[in-house]
């Protein structure tokens, strides 16, 4: 099993370190945070200086996982370009197009496929993580022009070893998707919380499940949410415009006929589709040989809502919704 | 302990019947639904014809609890006016101003205070309910011009017996509040689910906690949500306009400077206020003597985010946030 070198040991990076190590892979980390370094060492993990960690990655031909915020990405990529420019490389940053762009520019010889585990908590830092964080979660692994099947497979294998399933996707399609299902939900939660609190203490004291669930992620560290959402501006604007249009139409309908049927039925239908996907209801299982020409097929499969659930030898097991 | 007669045995009415009975109060019910009647009888409860149930309420001087949808309210109130016009009366309908209006018009001699337990599930019907549904929940009990302290106390005592705490409130203030913390969250969940699904299967397959939580109540029966939200049109329009204004401002900020700090910070601050309220952090406990002149004090206390947690003899124990 290929060794894993994790740069950045916050919630996600720290959880990758634990999960990869738990899967039996040699693993070590590096972090600029003294608190995260101390917490990781307390848990028995090897934490090195970034330079030392990358030199060791070169010696052991390890997979390097970049787990720093988007704002610290360039600095880390420059270090990799200097110490180990041909590294097996992936990342866990929440946008993929900007990361792909920087990697191709700064470390063009890296054997890179981007990654994004769709898991988290409202807490942050190494101490908040766990080896189980990715269990059952989706983990996007990107396929672009320059992606090789070997680099994709390394990133996908890490996701599977961490207990996730892999969603193959283009970087831009990923960013459009997460604008709708992750970044817009954070904006909605913030706005809902504010409109509720504007109703005064009486309103908050009457708040129950619908408000608590709808505002839960407003409890997350707003600086981290800001970095994530502002880093996906163009795609998020599209999603916000869709939401504004729909909320405006709902307003018009309520003000005129008083009817909310269309809004509520459409939301109910959409939520049922999500639930069906979560149960794996109506999917077919098949295998894909991991040859270079498989990449475009894998990406198409991701577009259809499909996933890779296992990789053995040179075969990937896939599940794709029927119809 | 005063007996309880519940008219309507769906999720909420059925749970009131169970909880009141569990608290040791004589309790019986009536319902137009054969399925709910059968389910309640299977659980060992007495289910009568509505007329018979009301006649018995008169004989035993019971508290009558109206637990039918807003659309069936008038018919039930007319029956009460005919059979037991001076009843102790409360209800559990999700809007309060329209119910108060109908009660004063159709059963002016009823000893009435409106109620609204802030609890539910996405399922409906007697079988979905439980005696524990209201445990730890807020339960609004209304105070209007015509409300007497005795009628208010009867409705509040039922809420406490069901395991809830009581939030004293004017009917219109209640309706404004639930527009923000219950009805708007249902519209947001529906719109978020639709915008997510508009991203196609890839988007839904990447959806994780933030999207699942933000869309959870879109899984509720849309007909019931529709009755609830459309029944609170004026207050909901205000809440939707606030939300539209804030989403529009967020859009403008994202499109121009790219900044989301103000939106996210304000949401985070609001959510922290909700969490502080939930833990009961920073509240003072005191008692209020339940005399007629206490009603306006109780209503003020509700405006400040306060609650009644117990009634003994003629004293109510209250908790009010400090400052």
């Amino acid at each position: 099993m290929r060794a894993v070198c994790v740069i950045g040991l916050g919630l996600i990076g720290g959880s990758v370190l634990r999960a990869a190590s738990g899967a039996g892979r040699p693993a070590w980390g590096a972090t600029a945070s003294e608190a995260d370094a101390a917490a990781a060492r307390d848990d028995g993990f090897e934490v090195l200086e970034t330079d030392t960690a990358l030199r060791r990655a070169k010696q052991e031909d390890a997979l390097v996982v970049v787990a720093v915020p988007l704002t610290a990405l360039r600095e880390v990529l420059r270090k990799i370009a200097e110490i180990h420019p041909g590294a097996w490389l992936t990342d866990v940053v929440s946008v993929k197009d900007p990361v792909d762009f920087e990697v191709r520019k700064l470390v063009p010889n890296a054997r890179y496929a981007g990654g994004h585990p769709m898991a988290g908590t409202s807490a942050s830092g190494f101490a908040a993580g766990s080896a189980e964080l990715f269990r059952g979660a989706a983990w996007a692994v990107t396929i672009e022009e320059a992606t090789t099947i070997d680099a994709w497979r390394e990133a996908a294998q890490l996701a599977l070893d961490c207990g996730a399933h892999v969603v193959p996707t283009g970087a831009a399609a990923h960013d459009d998707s997460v604008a709708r299902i992750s970044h817009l939900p954070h904006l909605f939660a913030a706005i809902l919380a504010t409109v509720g609190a504007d109703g005064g203490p009486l309103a908050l004291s009457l708040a129950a499940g619908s408000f608590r669930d709808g505002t839960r992620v407003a409890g997350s560290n707003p600086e981290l949410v800001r970095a994530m959402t502002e880093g996906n501006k163009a795609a998020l604007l599209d999603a916000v415009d869709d939401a504004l249009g729909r909320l405006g139409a709902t307003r018009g309908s309520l003000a005129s006929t008083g009817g909310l049927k269309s809004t509520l039925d459409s939301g109910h239908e959409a939520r049922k589709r999500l639930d069906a996907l979560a149960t794996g209801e109506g999917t077919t299982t098949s295998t894909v040989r991991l040859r270079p020409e498989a990449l475009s097929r894998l990406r198409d499969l991701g577009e259809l809502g499909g996933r890779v659930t296992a990789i053995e030898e040179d075969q990937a097991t896939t599940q794709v919704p029927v119809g």
Side-chain angles (χ1 to χ4, degrees), chain A:
Chain A
M1 301 177 93
R2 189 180 303 284
V4 176
C5 165
V6 185
I7 309 294
L9 297 176
L11 173 72
I12 302 296
S15 298
V16 170
L17 183 64
R18 288 179 181 95
S21 175
R25 296 174 69 153
W28 60 91
T31 172
S33 152
E34 306 243 329
D36 287 340
R41 287 197 183 104
D42 279 355
D43 277 9
F45 292 101
E46 201 172 354
V47 182
L48 309 171
E49 294 296 311
T50 303
D51 289 24
T52 317
L54 290 173
R55 257 180 246 118
R56 182 161 160 199
K58 187 170 184 180
Q59 280 158 18
E60 302 196 19
D61 199 23
L63 172 66
V64 176
V65 183
V66 180
V68 300
L70 189 58
T71 43
L73 180 72
R74 282 185 192 189
E75 192 188 339
V76 172
L77 292 181
R78 287 200 187 98
K79 274 250 192 282
I80 295 172
E82 178 194 324
I83 295 168
H84 186 23
W88 296 105
L89 185 64
T90 189
D91 72 290
V92 293
V93 178
S94 65
V95 288
K96 299 270 59 76
D97 215 35
V99 176
D100 195 83
F101 180 82
E102 296 293 341
V103 169
R104 300 306 171 200
K105 193 173 69 177
L106 297 173
V107 210
N109 293 324
R111 289 166 287 178
Y112 170 74
H116 183 204
M118 306 305 297
T121 73
S122 60
S124 47
F126 185 91
S130 106
E132 300 301 309
L133 186 65
F134 311 113
R135 184 88 32 210
W139 187 315
V141 180
T142 57
I143 297 169
E144 293 289 286
E145 281 292 307
T147 312
T148 67
I149 189 76
D150 289 342
W152 190 85
R153 180 189 175 136
E154 288 298 332
Q157 188 63 59
L158 175 70
L160 295 170
D161 286 348
C162 290
H165 56 262
V166 173
V167 176
T169 174
H174 166 276
D175 293 354
D176 287 347
S177 293
V178 296
R180 286 168 188 271
I181 55 81
S182 169
H183 303 166
L184 184 65
H186 278 88
L187 295 187
F188 261 42
I191 290 167
L192 191 58
T194 304
V195 173
D198 283 350
L202 173 64
L204 290 183
S205 78
L206 290 174
S210 64
F211 189 72
R212 266 199 295 274
D213 285 357
T215 61
R216 186 186 59 85
V217 292
S220 308
N221 179 341
E223 283 310 305
L224 294 181
V225 177
R226 201 179 149 198
M228 178 174 87
T229 49
E230 292 179 356
N232 197 20
K233 177 172 165 172
L236 184 51
L237 266 176
D238 267 0
V240 169
D241 281 342
D242 275 13
L244 265 173
R246 290 193 176 274
L247 186 57
T250 298
R251 199 266 176 219
S253 178
L254 181 63
S256 56
T257 67
L260 294 169
K261 181 171 169 54
S262 146
T263 299
L264 295 171
D265 283 355
S266 137
H268 187 64
E269 192 49 50
R271 172 71 200 194
K272 279 202 298 192
R273 255 180 283 163
L274 179 74
D275 291 340
L277 212 61
T279 61
E281 195 186 302
T283 56
T284 54
T285 301
S286 58
T287 57
V288 173
R289 293 280 290 279
L290 292 177
R291 295 167 177 168
E293 62 271 24
L295 284 169
S296 69
R297 184 163 159 215
L298 285 168
R299 193 162 59 176
D300 291 349
L301 182 154
E303 281 287 341
L304 297 172
R307 52 174 71 170
V308 172
T309 56
I311 294 178
E312 268 176 65
E313 306 287 328
D314 71 338
Q315 285 209 330
T317 306
T318 68
Q319 285 180 351
V320 189
V322 179

